[in-house]
């Protein structure tokens, strides 16, 4: 199951993901997308998954997950103690290598409030400058 760490250090692990090598690529991609978007606290509100040639390409598309994210982690240990449902076996022979496909040294999105507002560090909420709005002040209301 994949694990995601947000920019504030919160770590979330998805439920075990159904992967069927005989299924259509879209079915496997949707399975991963549904699991990531179901993480608590809207850790990943929206994500795009492309699956081709046994590779999952994850693209973070929500303004709250812009910029360079921590790499997803993967664990194939989905064993459950008796009494838990569904009971999963321990013969999971899948493995996953996680790499970053796009490397950019200067991410403007990691600036507090996209450099378009001020951040209340106690609450993590941006107060956007005039002409900008959104959770990260990433939306423009005024065009010059």
């Amino acid at each position: 199951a994949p694990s995601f760490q947000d920019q504030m250090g919160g770590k979330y692990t998805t439920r075990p993901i159904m992967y069927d090598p005989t299924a259509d690529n879209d079915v496997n991609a949707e399975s991963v997308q549904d699991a990531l978007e179901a993480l608590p606290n809207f850790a990943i509100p929206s994500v795009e998954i492309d699956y081709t040639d046994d590779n999952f390409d994850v693209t973070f598309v929500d303004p709250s997950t812009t910029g360079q994210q921590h790499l997803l982690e993967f664990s194939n240990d989905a064993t459950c103690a008796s009494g838990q449902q569904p009971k999963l076996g321990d013969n999971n022979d899948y493995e996953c290598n996680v790499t970053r496909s796009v490397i950019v040294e200067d991410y403007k999105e990691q600036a507090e409030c996209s450099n378009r507002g001020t951040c209340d560090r106690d609450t993590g909420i941006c107060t956007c400058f005039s002409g900008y709005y959104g959770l990260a002040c990433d939306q423009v209301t005024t065009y010059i």
Side-chain angles (χ1 to χ4, degrees):
S3 294
F4 171 75
Q5 182 176 348
D6 65 19
Q7 297 293 343
M8 303 297 240
K11 191 167 184 179
Y12 307 93
T13 300
T14 70
R15 59 177 162 68
I17 295 175
M18 174 68 176
Y19 171 73
D20 182 357
T22 63
D24 183 60
N25 288 352
D26 291 339
V27 171
N28 286 316
E30 286 177 24
S31 180
V32 173
Q33 180 175 350
D34 291 345
L36 289 171
E37 290 178 350
L39 289 172
N41 300 331
F42 300 100
I44 304 177
S46 181
V47 66
E48 291 179 0
I49 308 292
D50 292 316
Y51 175 71
T52 54
D53 301 325
D54 289 333
N55 291 309
F56 289 97
D57 185 33
V58 179
T59 304
F60 296 98
V61 294
D62 192 82
S64 66
T65 53
T66 60
Q68 185 168 319
Q69 299 298 314
H70 295 279
L71 287 177
L72 292 173
E73 296 176 9
F74 179 82
S75 171
N76 66 351
D77 180 23
T79 58
C80 294
S82 63
Q84 292 180 333
Q85 294 294 330
K87 182 161 175 50
L88 303 171
D90 58 1
N91 60 347
N92 302 312
D93 60 351
Y94 294 108
E95 64 180 56
C96 180
N97 296 315
V98 180
T99 60
R100 190 176 312 280
S101 60
V102 177
I103 299 174
V104 177
E105 297 298 325
D106 184 25
Y107 275 104
K108 297 295 184 200
E109 292 88 357
Q110 284 187 339
E112 287 182 348
C113 302
S114 304
N115 283 333
R116 297 173 177 167
T118 56
C119 179
D120 180 340
R121 293 187 182 194
D122 291 331
T123 64
I125 296 174
C126 292
T127 301
C128 301
F129 299 145
S130 179
Y132 301 101
Y133 70 100
L135 291 175
C137 301
D138 58 330
Q139 305 292 320
V140 179
T141 59
T142 306
Y143 296 96
I144 298 175

